[in-house]
Amino acid sequence: RLLSSPIHKIYVLLGYLVAYFLLGWIQLGVLLTVLSVFFHVYLGNVIHILVFGSFVIGLVVSLGFMIATLSHTKKQSEVFSAIVIVGSCMLGGIYWPLDIVPDIMKKVSLAIPQTWMMSGFGEIMSGTVNQSILLLDITVLAAFTIVFMVIGLKNIRSY
């Protein structure tokens, strides 16, 4: 259908990106609602959550896009996703706090997007937001997003 369609591939790509971005917001919205309503977790300033959450979702969508364009089969993308996501979550402080890891691992974690995501959400949920820390977290997430998107765009195949 794409070959016979008069639409340019950039519009198809933008459609997918917008759809997955909205889907990500639905998922994050449900998660935050459950945390707030059922577990009484203090989420901090809603505006900060909306802005920072948008950068996190943009990062996740661009990472998925990059993995999809680097993979040749669906099975390969599933395996690649599992390895990249689980490995980076371990290194980025999702599974355990970075306070308990050796100093070398703390330095390695600076090259992992999840480290910056956890830092930003932690800053927002602390109740006392340091704007410079949050801005640094957003800037790093935006840089990762751009890098992943550029890699994905360079590897996209025309069918």
Side-chain angles (χ1 to χ4, degrees):
R1 286 189 288 190
L2 285 177
L3 285 174
S4 64
S5 174
I7 193 167
H8 195 272
K9 70 179 177 181
I10 193 71
Y11 295 118
V12 174
L13 176 65
L14 286 173
Y16 276 114
L17 293 177
V18 168
Y20 284 114
F21 186 83
L22 292 175
L23 182 63
W25 255 115
I26 291 169
Q27 291 173 335
L28 186 60
V30 168
L31 175 68
L32 294 175
T33 301
V34 167
L35 285 174
S36 179
V37 172
F38 294 113
F39 297 105
H40 307 290
V41 173
Y42 174 72
L43 299 176
N45 185 329
V46 175
I47 301 299
H48 288 137
I49 289 284
L50 291 174
V51 170
F52 191 73
S54 295
F55 280 96
V56 170
I57 292 167
L59 170 81
V60 171
V61 169
S62 68
L63 176 63
F65 174 64
M66 181 187 75
I67 290 172
T69 59
L70 291 174
S71 304
H72 297 291
T73 64
K74 184 176 180 183
K75 192 67 171 172
Q76 189 179 31
S77 68
E78 291 170 358
V79 171
F80 191 44
S81 294
I83 292 169
V84 168
I85 292 169
V86 171
S88 61
C89 284
M90 285 183 188
L91 293 172
I94 301 288
Y95 295 150
W96 49 75
L98 292 175
D99 298 338
I100 66 170
V101 301
D103 287 339
I104 188 72
M105 296 308 291
K106 290 177 185 173
K107 288 182 173 70
V108 169
S109 73
L110 296 175
I112 306 295
Q114 286 91 330
T115 303
W116 302 95
M117 181 194 72
M118 291 297 289
S119 172
F121 278 127
E123 190 66 31
I124 293 168
M125 292 178 183
S126 72
T128 57
V129 177
N130 183 336
Q131 297 292 335
S132 62
I133 292 175
L134 192 59
L135 185 60
L136 175 64
D137 295 334
I138 287 172
T139 304
V140 172
L141 288 179
F144 274 113
T145 301
I146 291 167
V147 167
F148 294 159
M149 191 60 67
V150 167
I151 292 170
L153 288 171
K154 287 196 176 278
N155 289 305
I156 197 164
R157 295 179 296 275
S158 297
Y159 296 102

